[in-house]
Amino acid sequence: MRVITLDSHNFTAACRDLAREVAASGFTPSLIIGIRTGGEFVAREFVPFFPASRLAIVSLHRPSTASKSPFRRVLASLPRPVLDLMRVAESRLLSLLPKRRVPRVELPGELTGALSRRVLVVDDAADSGVTLLAIAEAVRRVRPDADIRTAVLTVTTASPAVVPDFALYRNRTLLRFPWSMDMKRQ
């Protein structure tokens, strides 16, 4: 398992590489759904590649995300190799926990009324895959005939609940994003 740090420039380049992969497949979404927060940033980078697509953002957070915020200042002071080891340790620990059940997600009314047939659900990473699966199932309940595809920058576990259709990294690579709590600010 390795950790790659993406500053703003490299993050944008990675998102564009992923968008090019989707475009090269021949899939042209009518609707791109970004999962807030990381998936929103990725989805916004997709817009220039699919100018005819609508963009929607939905919220669905993992419970572990909020519990990390008190440590932001401490994390920022640690050397990058230590932060990398901590990321790998956290990932391994989380992989030992039982998979969470997929929460039932209700899409916002303004989104359900305008769901298109070709939908691309975008997130920054697929850890357990539960978030991607929850959004895809919510779309399927509202629009059973939808052609739903998923895209992430990285798949961090060996067997997520849903295997994304598109991913830059499928080899359990952990990415440190510009908004990550352990991102070193210059």
Side-chain angles (χ1 to χ4, degrees), residues 26-40:
F27 182 74
T28 304
S30 330
L31 175 66
I32 299 170
I33 298 176
I35 302 172
R36 184 170 280 131
T37 298
E40 175 180 359

Side-chain angles (χ1 to χ4, degrees), residues 61-80:
H61 295 285
R62 295 177 301 177
S64 65
T65 302
S67 65
K68 295 178 188 175
S69 60
F71 302 105
R72 182 179 295 273
R73 191 168 290 144
V74 173
L75 291 172
S77 67
L78 297 174
R80 181 149 298 149

Side-chain angles (χ1 to χ4, degrees), residues 32-40 44 56-63 65 100 103-111 121-123 130-132 134-136 138:
I32 299 170
I33 298 176
I35 302 172
R36 184 170 280 131
T37 298
E40 175 180 359
R44 290 191 187 285
I57 307 301
V58 296
S59 295
L60 183 63
H61 295 285
R62 295 177 301 177
T65 302
R100 292 184 300 130
R104 184 175 171 94
V105 175
E106 296 300 328
L107 298 173
E110 64 274 9
L111 182 56
V121 180
V122 179
D123 207 354
V130 169
T131 304
L132 281 175
I135 299 299

Side-chain angles (χ1 to χ4, degrees), residues 22-172:
V22 173
S25 77
F27 182 74
T28 304
S30 330
L31 175 66
I32 299 170
I33 298 176
I35 302 172
R36 184 170 280 131
T37 298
E40 175 180 359
F41 299 138
V42 178
R44 290 191 187 285
E45 294 292 340
F46 275 50
V47 171
F49 292 86
F50 304 103
S53 300
R54 289 187 56 245
L55 175 64
I57 307 301
V58 296
S59 295
L60 183 63
H61 295 285
R62 295 177 301 177
S64 65
T65 302
S67 65
K68 295 178 188 175
S69 60
F71 302 105
R72 182 179 295 273
R73 191 168 290 144
V74 173
L75 291 172
S77 67
L78 297 174
R80 181 149 298 149
V82 172
L83 294 172
D84 290 352
L85 287 173
M86 290 174 66
R87 273 189 173 256
V88 171
E90 177 189 32
S91 179
R92 288 186 177 148
L93 177 66
L94 291 174
S95 72
L96 297 175
L97 299 175
K99 283 194 179 163
R100 292 184 300 130
R101 292 183 56 225
V102 177
R104 184 175 171 94
V105 175
E106 296 300 328
L107 298 173
E110 64 274 9
L111 182 56
T112 60
L115 271 178
S116 335
R117 175 147 157 41
R118 290 179 323 280
V119 178
L120 180 64
V121 180
V122 179
D123 207 354
D124 54 354
D127 299 316
S128 67
V130 169
T131 304
L132 281 175
L133 183 59
I135 299 299
E137 286 180 348
V139 170
R140 178 99 41 233
R141 279 193 307 276
V142 175
R143 182 81 195 245
D145 65 332
D147 182 3
I148 304 166
R149 309 283 174 93
T150 55
V152 297
L153 292 173
T154 187
V155 180
T156 65
T157 58
S159 57
V162 63
V163 176
D165 299 292
F166 306 98
L168 285 185
Y169 300 97
R170 293 184 182 273
N171 54 359
R172 300 180 60 203

